[in-house]
Amino acid sequence: MQTTDMTRRQDSSTARKFLLGPALMAGYGLVRLAGRAVGDYGPGAWWSVAHLLFLAGVLAFVPVFRGLRMPDGARGAGRAGVRVAAGAGLLGVAAVTVQAVIDLAVGFVAADDRAMSDMFEKVQDVPGVMPVVYTAVPMLFWLGLLALVTLLAFLRRNEVPAWSPLLVLAGTVMMAVSLDLLTAGALCIGLALFPVRRGLPD
């Protein structure tokens, strides 16, 4: 009985780790929409709260990538592919983290929307900042996650359903199409990760 209770607690803890990131990102999307609805989504409380949730959500994916990088039973090319995908995802996490910190700093310092736009323009004009912080490298976050879940759908077919990669893809596309779809996209990713966490160590 004690072993069963311990296993249940471990499963619950692992599930929380895997769902925390999507939940925080969904919260970011909701706060963003609320701020825009009241016409106050610029420098100030709405912007800061939204981007704090975004930053926390991104960092919450670190244990997800770390937990998925060594699946049970994976050998050879499959194991190498999982590690490469996890490494790419973690690199993407680092880039998106820098982006979120910049967004927070600019929102805190800027006096109004015009000043915020000017600051972003100056930051993004620095050579290398756009691809490393805003475009190319951040995409590794989403591509790494999609690659990981897709590989696990092949390597752990009894535990990871075929629809999990499709949900990750759908969530990623939603977020890329419009930031207004952030919450819906995050919910898709959360649903995709829920079965993936099974069989992983706490």
Side-chain angles (χ1 to χ4, degrees), residues 68 75 108 156 172:
L68 293 178
R75 296 289 185 272
F108 182 77
R156 292 167 46 199
T172 301

Side-chain angles (χ1 to χ4, degrees), residues 25-86:
M25 285 193 170
Y28 162 48
L30 289 174
V31 173
R32 179 183 177 276
L33 287 174
R36 288 171 63 85
V38 299
D40 191 30
Y41 191 67
W46 290 104
W47 178 276
S48 295
V49 171
H51 283 80
L52 281 171
L53 287 170
F54 179 50
L55 176 60
V58 171
L59 293 175
F61 273 89
V62 171
V64 174
F65 284 115
R66 290 175 61 86
L68 293 178
R69 67 180 176 176
M70 296 184 67
D72 293 338
R75 296 289 185 272
R79 191 178 188 88
V82 167
R83 288 186 173 181
V84 169

Side-chain angles (χ1 to χ4, degrees), residues 63-202:
V64 174
F65 284 115
R66 290 175 61 86
L68 293 178
R69 67 180 176 176
M70 296 184 67
D72 293 338
R75 296 289 185 272
R79 191 178 188 88
V82 167
R83 288 186 173 181
V84 169
L90 288 170
L91 185 58
V93 166
V96 179
T97 297
V98 173
Q99 182 185 139
V101 170
I102 291 173
D103 290 350
L104 278 167
V106 169
F108 182 77
V109 173
D112 52 33
D113 289 344
R114 177 63 182 273
M116 191 163 65
S117 296
D118 290 343
M119 288 183 185
F120 277 127
E121 186 174 342
K122 289 179 181 178
V123 170
Q124 293 170 5
D125 281 342
V126 176
V129 167
M130 279 300 291
V132 173
V133 179
Y134 287 95
T135 56
V137 180
M139 281 301 298
L140 294 177
F141 177 95
W142 307 107
L143 294 175
L145 184 62
L146 178 59
L148 266 178
V149 176
T150 301
L151 285 168
L152 292 173
F154 284 101
L155 297 173
R156 292 167 46 199
R157 295 181 183 180
N158 294 332
E159 296 173 345
V160 181
W163 48 260
S164 280
L166 297 177
L167 278 178
V168 173
L169 178 60
T172 301
V173 170
M174 286 182 189
M175 294 180 185
V177 168
S178 173
L179 292 179
D180 291 342
L181 298 176
L182 272 166
T183 299
L187 290 175
C188 284
I189 291 173
L191 288 173
L193 290 179
F194 186 74
V196 175
R197 100 281 179 202
R198 290 197 297 255
L200 294 173
D202 185 34

